[in-house]
Amino acid sequence: MCERILEGRKRKTKNEEDEAMGFADFGGYFESKKAKLVDQFKETAGNTNVKSNIFKGIAIFVNGLTNPNSAELKKLMAEHGGVYHGYQMSSTTHIIASNLAYAKTKNLGSVPIVKASWITDSIELRKLLDYKRYILFSNQSAAQPKLNFPILPGGENDIAKETEKDSLGSVKTVSSSPEIEKSRITKTASDPKFLEEFYNNSRLHLIATMGAEFKQLVGQLREKSDGKFLGKELLLSKGNPSSKRTYSSVVMHIDMDCFFVSVGLRNRPELKGKPVAVTHARNGQISSVRPGRSAEIAMNLERAPENIVEKISNLDSHSSMSEIACCSYEARKCGIKNGMFLGTAVKLCPGLKTIQYDFQGYKEVASTLYKTVASYTLDIEAVSCDEMYVDVTKLLNDCGVVVDQFATHLRAEIMEKTGCPCSTGFGANKLQARLATKKAKPNGQFYLEVDDVETYFSEIPLGDLPGVGRATLSKLKNLGLVTCGDVQVSSLSILQSELGQKVGETLMEQAKGIDKKPLNFHHERKSVSAEINYGIRFKTLEESYNFLQSLSQEVFNRLNDIGMKAKCLTLKLMVRSADAPTETAKFLGHGICDSLSKSITSNVAITDVKTIFKEAKQLYDKFNVPFEDLRGVGIQLSKLEKIGPTSSVMSNFLKQNSVINENKVTVDVIPSNDVGVMKNKQEVKQESVSVKNDSKKNSINTLNKKETKSKRGRPAGTKTKAKGNVKSKTSPSPMLDKYLKNMGTPVKTNFQNIDMGVLYELPEELRNEIMKEYQLQHQVITKKSGEREIQVADVKPQPSELKQKIEEKKSPFDGLSWEELKPILKTWMTSEADPKEIDVEMISEHFRQLAIDRKIENLKVIFNFLHRTFEKLNCKWHNAYFSIVNTTQQGMVARYGGTLMVERRFSCCK
DNA sequence: ATCCTCCCCTAC
DNA sequence: TAAGGTAGGGGAGGAT
């Protein structure tokens, strides 16, 4: 069914609307921008009958070589209501060019320079597309923001802004090499907007996030279900409960047929029955050769696994490496597969049509699909946006319909409501149902009855089993096993020794059609992550830190959205392999890489961005990877725990306030186990304290107003920088004494942080002792402003006795009753003139935890007491009180979704 | 034995 | 040009 490129001459008749619009010829044209057809097109270029008006108001001037060339563009403009200028005039609205050098060197005023594909794509889609997506180079200056050409509705004119950004960028850069020019129009991860833009265009991101959303949706629907099922009621009226067959267990697997294509074809009916693929690129060929492509291909051929080799074997220097997200069954007949590069696919099937992504459409159809199924039963296990398992046993028995009747009924309904075909498979368990679907596809249904299971499975190729992918398949092939039948009669122990204990066992069961896993209607998240392995090209260390920060924010938002906190953070990096070419075969791809990961586990959960960034950065620094070789970055949070429901107001508040603003950091690493060196650093720190005090007036005040917002859940023992008071260095606080007595030192398990500020609060002797015992290393972070501060110390594994102690006692006040705590607090308040930040934090943290642990009986009493006592002290103490209250309220909000009523005023302040 | 970390594999 | 994400299962091998 492949439509060959040369068949363009005897083009098939389009639908009537197309004929009337005069578009009959364009399908053929756009099948290729290849020379042969371009020539053919030229022959007919004489007649200029107007076919549409899409370029009304547009006047183009074509510079240099373009594809299609200027003569063709002239004709196209004439046919579609536009104007063609032989040279640039004041009324020229767009310049069409493909040569970047031209765009750079010419000063053409405020006319956008746009790729020719803007014209061709607009014609193909029969509407004027937003030219901004086709800009080759923007030469408008911020001083000339006015546009004298039509702007499409919805598209904000951000050209001026872009240019401004460009000029800012060039201020920073000393020279203006071609690479830098290119990077201006190329969004890499160095661009602050990259993350958003990438996610808006990533199919894999969409698949992953939609899958998670529908799993969550099913859970929610089940919780608030009223037990009424409209679809079921209708089915009941059609069924015949008296002459029913009773089923013992029927699982339905339902899967949309080539989902993305089906959704896309709803608006392109003329492409039905043709080989169609969904891709970002429009053409199988790219105009310029990518440097390094041949080198990467050669390297892959040498060492990559079979499937990678297969994927690149047909590529040449001009093939598009845009991936096919989904292709139609007609395309599959030519050997095209999902995930294949467009360049490769076009070689297999030159008539392949490409259609654009329709992310909104996917969401709508998926939503309708779920809604439809949910009108029959909520015994649904969501697999992804277009696939689910449904336990229909009860439904069938209740309604008195047989499997086939139900399948026909449901599939017709889905087709009617979504306009997209689906297939359904039925069996006694998930595995059987899934493999039944395989036979049902496309657009069909199949019930694998119990008696047929053994025979059916014996013929199934092993690669069809869920969980058997490339690697497993190749191992099995080496064992001489090809079908499930082969595995059925092979030895379990051999399978297990080759594949592993569990995998071997599961495989043996699967081969026989056995699946012990029940349907999972309630899904519990075990991890949250965000990773980007595309567009990572850092030019400075700072850029890489900034990206890590954006990613921290992203992953925090996701954690926050599901109302959880995490005890484990993993940083994943993809790094260019030692001998891999610097230029990747694929534009902004990751190329040949090594994958690395490191994780950190703490005994107190992470609940804020700041900590996420801090930990991620620490791990990143530990890898010590040259930032230029970085090709991928990911942050994963695991060991999740639920936090109580947070009100939406509070949630938004926390999100806003958790954004890290200190985004300009450079690093000056001083690794050392030498206490002597640390002494020197002490002096550095004193300097930094004085700077800080100058700029921030009152440290407690700062703590109260800003910092506590992002300090939720700071791990015990990870104290913040000591900002105050050089004097305190010589006299340790009684609270710290108490703390040290209970905790040993404020450290976490494994490689955790000690804040150097805390150490400098200690008497020198004690400090040296601690540092010796824990073999401290530390880094000095220098801020751009010139401020210096010591951030963290790295701790080697500690004596196990101490570790145990720490695990037993999270807070120094843990387990103390109010009666026991009260005198301690009293002593604290009378021991010093001013409160110490570290003490305030410890107490705040303790009360926050009390709130979270629902131990609130005493909190009101405590706050009354605190308020009464603090009233007699100075305003620094009052601020300390506010800080304690604020932190505790965060715990209240997290736990109960509301705050505790406490006194928030003192007569002397505010 | 059992746990943990760093992977690898798989699916959509 | 191109948008190579994300979650879960599980194995190897070291630490306890």
Side-chain angles (χ1 to χ4, degrees), chain A residues 828-859:
Chain A
W828 172 47
M829 289 179 283
T830 49
S831 66
E832 291 187 53
D834 297 337
K836 292 220 176 75
E837 186 183 329
I838 173 86
D839 298 340
V840 175
E841 282 192 34
M842 271 190 284
I843 292 158
S844 304
E845 190 57 37
H846 177 65
F847 288 162
R848 194 183 73 90
Q849 201 57 48
L850 283 188
I852 285 176
D853 294 341
R854 291 177 178 266
K855 295 173 184 162
I856 55 160
E857 309 89 348
N858 284 323
L859 278 180

Side-chain angles (χ1 to χ4, degrees), chain A residues 55-72:
Chain A
F55 294 123
K56 193 176 178 189
I58 304 285
I60 64 163
F61 158 63
V62 179
N63 173 271
L65 289 177
T66 52
N67 182 16
N69 67 28
S70 57
E72 286 145 14

Side-chain angles (χ1 to χ4, degrees), chain A residues 809-826:
Chain A
K809 272 195 179 291
K810 281 183 187 172
S811 149
F813 308 119
D814 229 17
L816 295 187
S817 70
W818 172 231
E819 295 312 316
E820 290 167 316
L821 186 58
K822 202 169 164 181
I824 298 177
L825 294 180
K826 263 192 169 166

Side-chain angles (χ1 to χ4, degrees), chain A residues 287-523:
Chain A
S287 51
S288 59
V289 183
R290 279 206 48 76
R293 173 172 291 188
S294 52
E296 186 175 319
I297 290 178
M299 195 166 159
N300 269 322
L301 286 174
E302 205 178 294
R303 59 155 88 166
E306 205 176 317
N307 72 322
I308 301 282
V309 169
E310 191 191 325
K311 196 169 171 181
I312 54 143
S313 62
N314 225 346
L315 277 182
D316 60 50
S317 56
H318 282 272
S319 303
S320 164
M321 286 181 79
S322 179
E323 282 187 21
I324 289 175
C326 183
C327 62
S328 66
Y329 278 90
E330 291 75 15
R332 290 176 205 201
K333 282 180 195 158
C334 311
I336 296 174
K337 288 175 186 167
N338 292 352
M340 193 178 259
F341 292 127
L342 181 59
T344 316
V346 166
K347 284 182 183 169
L348 291 171
C349 173
L352 183 69
K353 314 264 186 187
T354 58
I355 58 173
Q356 286 173 332
Y357 284 88
D358 176 9
F359 287 179
Q360 195 50 44
Y362 308 146
K363 287 182 188 176
E364 283 163 16
V365 171
S367 178
T368 308
L369 168 70
Y370 272 89
K371 232 185 271 173
T372 306
V373 177
S375 75
Y376 291 88
T377 173
L378 282 171
D379 293 340
I380 298 170
E381 175 181 325
V383 177
S384 70
C385 59
D386 75 325
E387 187 184 343
M388 67 187 101
Y389 293 106
V390 188
D391 188 335
V392 292
T393 318
K394 187 165 184 298
L395 178 70
L396 296 177
N397 290 338
D398 285 357
C399 295
V401 290
V402 294
V403 164
D404 250 16
Q405 280 176 300
F406 172 62
T408 310
H409 176 82
L410 179 68
R411 291 202 307 113
E413 186 180 345
I414 289 168
M415 183 63 178
E416 188 208 336
K417 286 186 173 163
T418 66
C420 299
C422 69
S423 303
T424 54
F426 296 81
N429 57 36
K430 290 201 278 186
L431 178 67
Q432 290 175 19
R434 169 189 280 257
L435 288 170
T437 309
K438 209 131 216 160
K439 181 161 177 164
K441 274 181 173 287
N443 197 11
Q445 58 201 48
F446 178 61
Y447 179 23
L448 177 56
E449 303 232 29
V450 182
D451 295 343
D452 306 328
V453 168
E454 209 184 314
T455 330
Y456 185 78
F457 269 77
S458 64
E459 298 300 314
I460 298 273
L462 288 166
D464 282 2
L465 291 177
V468 178
R470 159 174 72 80
T472 315
L473 201 59
S474 123
K475 284 179 194 168
L476 291 169
K477 202 175 154 195
N478 290 339
L479 292 174
L481 306 172
V482 177
T483 64
C484 287
D486 298 340
V487 170
Q488 280 170 18
V489 297
S490 71
S491 132
L492 176 62
S493 58
I494 291 178
L495 286 177
Q496 286 180 321
S497 70
E498 195 65 23
L499 307 172
Q501 195 78 21
K502 196 108 176 189
V503 178
E505 191 186 323
T506 327
L507 185 76
M508 181 57 93
E509 283 176 358
Q510 283 181 320
K512 297 171 183 165
I514 301 167
D515 182 2
K516 289 174 182 162
K517 274 175 290 176
L519 273 74
N520 183 11
F521 305 136
H522 280 288
H523 182 69

Side-chain angles (χ1 to χ4, degrees), chain A residues 143 286 289 342 369-370 408 415 447 590 599 642 678 680 695 703 708 716 754 803 822 826 843 895:
Chain A
I286 54 173
V289 183
L342 181 59
L369 168 70
Y370 272 89
T408 310
M415 183 63 178
Y447 179 23
H590 57 55
S599 62
K642 270 231 151 49
M678 305 289 282
N680 293 336
S695 59
L703 169 78
T708 47
I754 276 188
K803 185 176 166 184
K822 202 169 164 181
K826 263 192 169 166
I843 292 158
R895 176 79 252 183

Side-chain angles (χ1 to χ4, degrees), chain A residues 670-732:
Chain A
I670 306 178
S672 172
N673 290 331
D674 183 344
V675 175
V677 176
M678 305 289 282
K679 272 184 190 168
N680 293 336
K681 291 304 129 192
Q682 182 188 346
E683 286 166 23
V684 172
K685 192 215 158 225
Q686 284 177 4
E687 280 166 28
S688 91
V689 167
S690 66
V691 172
K692 276 207 151 153
N693 285 347
D694 284 351
S695 59
K696 287 190 183 171
K697 288 180 190 170
N698 182 322
S699 63
I700 292 290
N701 202 19
T702 312
L703 169 78
N704 182 30
K705 283 188 179 158
K706 284 186 183 166
E707 305 232 344
T708 47
K709 284 170 192 165
S710 58
K711 272 184 198 162
R712 302 182 304 139
R714 194 174 21 68
T718 317
K719 296 297 146 198
T720 47
K721 307 139 209 163
K723 281 173 194 143
N725 211 320
V726 178
K727 194 189 84 188
S728 70
K729 189 163 59 75
T730 51
S731 62

Side-chain angles (χ1 to χ4, degrees), chain A residues 747-799:
Chain A
V747 287
K748 290 187 287 175
T749 54
N750 292 339
F751 291 84
Q752 294 296 315
N753 309 327
I754 276 188
D755 182 79
M756 298 310 289
V758 173
L759 283 176
Y760 286 112
E761 301 258 341
L762 298 172
E764 196 172 358
E765 208 186 330
L766 177 58
R767 181 174 75 230
N768 287 344
E769 205 176 296
I770 291 176
M771 288 175 65
K772 225 177 225 168
E773 185 176 352
Y774 297 108
Q775 301 172 43
L776 297 188
Q777 294 183 320
H778 75 274
Q779 299 176 338
V780 176
I781 308 292
T782 313
K783 290 204 175 173
K784 266 256 165 98
S785 64
E787 276 182 41
R788 299 201 104 197
E789 63 180 81
I790 296 159
Q791 200 195 36
V792 294
D794 228 354
V795 185
K796 295 267 164 83
Q798 313 128 39

